[in-house]
Amino acid sequence: DTAVSQTPKYLVTQMGNDKSIKCEQNLGHDTMYWYKQDSKKFLKIMFSYNNKELIINETVPNRFSPKSPDKAHLNLHINSLELGDSAVYFCASSLWTSGKETQYFGPGTRLLVL
Amino acid sequence: EDKVVQSPLSLVVHEGDTVTLNCSYEVTNFRSLLWYKQEKKAPTFLFMLTSSGIEKKSGRLSSILDKKELFSILNITATQTGDSAIYLCAFPNTGNQFYFGTGTSLTVIP
């Protein structure tokens, strides 16, 4: 069974469109994350979210918004897509309260904005 | 501000060589350090280190943490082409966030 899953795997869209990426984890973890990995392979945190608190990296544009319908899901919605949004987006989860905060990553969503 | 620096940025070696990858950090409220391997897809977990001086081993890979000098190393012995990947170190902070280093891109040639 897949631990952290993301859909879609690939997303090609036009500038100005709005799109969503879905993420689900079946590990019973309490915290989920979104990362952006650019062409230089630098992995940058965008959001972390548990059932108490959303922490937003201050450099993330407000066109990006995470939405969590329940503890097992953290979706990423992007408004007014721009060329610079092209990247691979990874969802991840961890059990923060355990004291062993190993993160598990989803397979990634490759976004290309034309 | 928390900071994580990995070196070298990239490395090319021949099969059978031993490599040492470095991760230095300035992180407030240190909890642990994690090493990941990223091939073509998502990062996969290798090690978690919380205490100085205790070496973690998994086959040909080993890692150690020095909390006094604020660095960690990842050693790979008898490298194989399958070791070619980006190796990332990361730190969780008390704000439920992980900070990743820039990564070291390792290429092992036959």
Side-chain angles (χ1 to χ4, degrees):
Chain A
D1 284 343
T2 305
V4 183
S5 59
Q6 290 178 234
T7 54
K9 273 190 174 179
Y10 300 95
L11 185 54
V12 181
T13 188
Q14 301 281 346
M15 276 176 60
N17 285 348
D18 302 339
K19 290 293 177 187
S20 291
I21 306 172
K22 294 185 177 181
C23 178
E24 177 181 1
Q25 55 96 4
N26 62 7
L27 298 166
H29 285 172
D30 56 13
T31 307
M32 296 182 72
Y33 310 82
W34 277 104
Y35 288 89
K36 179 181 180 182
Q37 189 170 46
D38 59 26
S39 56
K40 295 182 180 178
K41 303 295 185 185
F42 182 57
L43 203 59
K44 186 176 176 184
I45 183 82
M46 299 177 72
F47 306 100
S48 65
Y49 183 78
N50 62 22
N51 56 1
K52 298 175 185 175
E53 191 176 14
L54 171 67
I55 299 177
I56 302 171
N57 185 311
E58 61 188 13
T59 65
V60 175
N62 58 15
R63 299 181 294 103
F64 291 79
S65 56
K67 299 191 191 303
S68 181
D70 56 57
K71 284 172 68 171
H73 296 84
L74 183 66
N75 303 325
L76 181 64
H77 190 74
I78 315 169
N79 288 326
S80 302
L81 278 155
E82 299 178 359
L83 293 176
D85 297 333
S86 297
V88 181
Y89 292 84
F90 287 103
C91 176
S93 72
S94 68
L95 188 58
W96 195 263
T97 54
S98 67
K100 298 181 180 178
E101 305 93 355
T102 303
Q103 274 193 324
Y104 293 88
F105 283 81
T109 295
R110 189 173 294 275
L111 171 65
L112 178 59
V113 181
L114 303 174
Chain B
E1 184 178 319
D2 294 340
K3 192 177 170 184
V4 183
V5 177
Q6 289 186 246
S7 64
L9 281 181
S10 64
L11 192 55
V12 180
V13 300
H14 287 94
E15 268 192 318
D17 288 351
T18 293
V19 297
T20 299
L21 311 181
N22 302 290
C23 175
S24 64
Y25 63 93
E26 295 174 22
V27 176
T28 54
N29 301 311
F30 177 88
R31 291 165 69 110
S32 58
L33 179 152
L34 293 87
W35 281 98
Y36 286 84
K37 177 182 180 183
Q38 185 176 20
E39 296 175 84
K40 291 186 178 176
K41 296 187 176 177
T44 53
F45 173 75
L46 292 174
F47 298 110
M48 178 170 141
L49 302 156
T50 55
S51 303
S52 273
I54 298 174
E55 188 179 33
K56 292 281 185 95
K57 280 192 169 185
S58 176
R60 296 175 295 103
L61 275 66
S62 63
S63 183
I64 197 160
L65 174 67
D66 187 326
K67 289 168 79 172
K68 185 179 175 187
E69 299 298 330
L70 307 182
F71 75 91
S72 173
I73 60 172
L74 175 68
N75 273 323
I76 310 175
T77 58
T79 50
Q80 302 171 357
T81 54
D83 296 327
S84 296
I86 297 172
Y87 291 85
L88 299 158
C89 66
F91 292 84
N93 69 9
T94 51
N96 284 29
Q97 297 218 342
F98 286 74
Y99 288 94
F100 279 81
T102 48
T104 293
S105 176
L106 173 66
T107 303
V108 181
I109 53 179

